[in-house]
PDB file of all heavy atoms in Angstrom:
ATOM      1  N   SER A   7      23.584  85.143 -15.002  1.00 96.00           N
ATOM      2  CA  SER A   7      24.315  84.775 -16.205  1.00 96.00           C
ATOM      3  C   SER A   7      25.802  84.824 -15.893  1.00 96.00           C
ATOM      4  O   SER A   7      26.211  85.328 -14.848  1.00 96.00           O
ATOM      5  CB  SER A   7      23.974  85.710 -17.374  1.00 96.00           C
ATOM      6  OG  SER A   7      24.330  87.044 -17.062  1.00 96.00           O
ATOM      7  N   GLY A   8      26.601  84.296 -16.814  1.00 97.00           N
ATOM      8  CA  GLY A   8      28.046  84.381 -16.666  1.00 97.00           C
ATOM      9  C   GLY A   8      28.732  83.098 -16.247  1.00 97.00           C
ATOM     10  O   GLY A   8      29.956  83.038 -16.185  1.00 97.00           O
ATOM     11  N   GLY A   9      27.957  82.079 -15.944  1.00 97.00           N
ATOM     12  CA  GLY A   9      28.568  80.812 -15.570  1.00 97.00           C
ATOM     13  C   GLY A   9      29.209  80.134 -16.771  1.00 97.00           C
ATOM     14  O   GLY A   9      29.057  80.576 -17.914  1.00 97.00           O
ATOM     15  N   GLY A  10      29.919  79.059 -16.505  1.00 97.00           N
ATOM     16  CA  GLY A  10      30.547  78.327 -17.585  1.00 97.00           C
ATOM     17  C   GLY A  10      31.635  77.413 -17.079  1.00 97.00           C
ATOM     18  O   GLY A  10      31.764  77.171 -15.876  1.00 97.00           O
ATOM     19  N   LEU A  11      32.417  76.926 -18.019  1.00 98.00           N
ATOM     20  CA  LEU A  11      33.534  76.034 -17.719  1.00 98.00           C
ATOM     21  C   LEU A  11      34.819  76.849 -17.717  1.00 98.00           C
ATOM     22  O   LEU A  11      35.101  77.588 -18.672  1.00 98.00           O
ATOM     23  CB  LEU A  11      33.610  74.930 -18.767  1.00 98.00           C
ATOM     24  CG  LEU A  11      34.806  73.984 -18.691  1.00 98.00           C
ATOM     25  CD1 LEU A  11      34.791  73.193 -17.388  1.00 98.00           C
ATOM     26  CD2 LEU A  11      34.820  73.047 -19.899  1.00 98.00           C
ATOM     27  N   VAL A  12      35.600  76.708 -16.672  1.00 98.00           N
ATOM     28  CA  VAL A  12      36.854  77.441 -16.562  1.00 98.00           C
ATOM     29  C   VAL A  12      37.911  76.530 -15.955  1.00 98.00           C
ATOM     30  O   VAL A  12      37.586  75.631 -15.161  1.00 98.00           O
ATOM     31  CB  VAL A  12      36.659  78.719 -15.714  1.00 98.00           C
ATOM     32  CG1 VAL A  12      36.261  78.380 -14.289  1.00 98.00           C
ATOM     33  CG2 VAL A  12      37.879  79.618 -15.750  1.00 98.00           C
ATOM     34  N   GLN A  13      39.139  76.756 -16.320  1.00 98.00           N
ATOM     35  CA  GLN A  13      40.230  75.954 -15.776  1.00 98.00           C
ATOM     36  C   GLN A  13      40.591  76.428 -14.370  1.00 98.00           C
ATOM     37  O   GLN A  13      40.365  77.597 -14.028  1.00 98.00           O
ATOM     38  CB  GLN A  13      41.451  76.038 -16.686  1.00 98.00           C
ATOM     39  CG  GLN A  13      41.268  75.375 -18.028  1.00 98.00           C
ATOM     40  CD  GLN A  13      42.555  75.366 -18.847  1.00 98.00           C
ATOM     41  OE1 GLN A  13      43.483  76.121 -18.579  1.00 98.00           O
ATOM     42  NE2 GLN A  13      42.605  74.485 -19.836  1.00 98.00           N
ATOM     43  N   PRO A  14      41.157  75.564 -13.564  1.00 98.00           N
ATOM     44  CA  PRO A  14      41.618  75.994 -12.240  1.00 98.00           C
ATOM     45  C   PRO A  14      42.548  77.191 -12.358  1.00 98.00           C
ATOM     46  O   PRO A  14      43.402  77.249 -13.245  1.00 98.00           O
ATOM     47  CB  PRO A  14      42.349  74.763 -11.712  1.00 98.00           C
ATOM     48  CG  PRO A  14      41.677  73.620 -12.396  1.00 98.00           C
ATOM     49  CD  PRO A  14      41.356  74.119 -13.778  1.00 98.00           C
ATOM     50  N   GLY A  15      42.339  78.146 -11.470  1.00 98.00           N
ATOM     51  CA  GLY A  15      43.108  79.374 -11.521  1.00 98.00           C
ATOM     52  C   GLY A  15      42.476  80.459 -12.363  1.00 98.00           C
ATOM     53  O   GLY A  15      42.930  81.612 -12.340  1.00 98.00           O
ATOM     54  N   GLY A  16      41.435  80.107 -13.108  1.00 98.00           N
ATOM     55  CA  GLY A  16      40.775  81.072 -13.963  1.00 98.00           C
ATOM     56  C   GLY A  16      39.780  81.940 -13.220  1.00 98.00           C
ATOM     57  O   GLY A  16      39.619  81.841 -11.998  1.00 98.00           O
ATOM     58  N   SER A  17      39.096  82.799 -13.990  1.00 98.00           N
ATOM     59  CA  SER A  17      38.165  83.758 -13.411  1.00 98.00           C
ATOM     60  C   SER A  17      36.834  83.741 -14.159  1.00 98.00           C
ATOM     61  O   SER A  17      36.785  83.414 -15.358  1.00 98.00           O
ATOM     62  CB  SER A  17      38.749  85.176 -13.483  1.00 98.00           C
ATOM     63  OG  SER A  17      39.948  85.283 -12.753  1.00 98.00           O
ATOM     64  N   LEU A  18      35.806  84.087 -13.444  1.00 98.00           N
ATOM     65  CA  LEU A  18      34.477  84.280 -14.021  1.00 98.00           C
ATOM     66  C   LEU A  18      33.799  85.420 -13.285  1.00 98.00           C
ATOM     67  O   LEU A  18      34.054  85.624 -12.087  1.00 98.00           O
ATOM     68  CB  LEU A  18      33.611  83.026 -13.878  1.00 98.00           C
ATOM     69  CG  LEU A  18      33.831  81.852 -14.821  1.00 98.00           C
ATOM     70  CD1 LEU A  18      32.947  80.683 -14.393  1.00 98.00           C
ATOM     71  CD2 LEU A  18      33.554  82.222 -16.262  1.00 98.00           C
ATOM     72  N   THR A  19      32.931  86.115 -14.000  1.00 98.00           N
ATOM     73  CA  THR A  19      32.086  87.120 -13.361  1.00 98.00           C
ATOM     74  C   THR A  19      30.630  86.750 -13.595  1.00 98.00           C
ATOM     75  O   THR A  19      30.193  86.652 -14.743  1.00 98.00           O
ATOM     76  CB  THR A  19      32.360  88.521 -13.906  1.00 98.00           C
ATOM     77  OG1 THR A  19      33.720  88.878 -13.639  1.00 98.00           O
ATOM     78  CG2 THR A  19      31.448  89.543 -13.228  1.00 98.00           C
TER      79      THR A  19
END
Side-chain angles (χ1 to χ4, degrees):
S7 61
L11 174 63
V12 63
Q13 292 186 342
S17 299
L18 282 175
T19 299

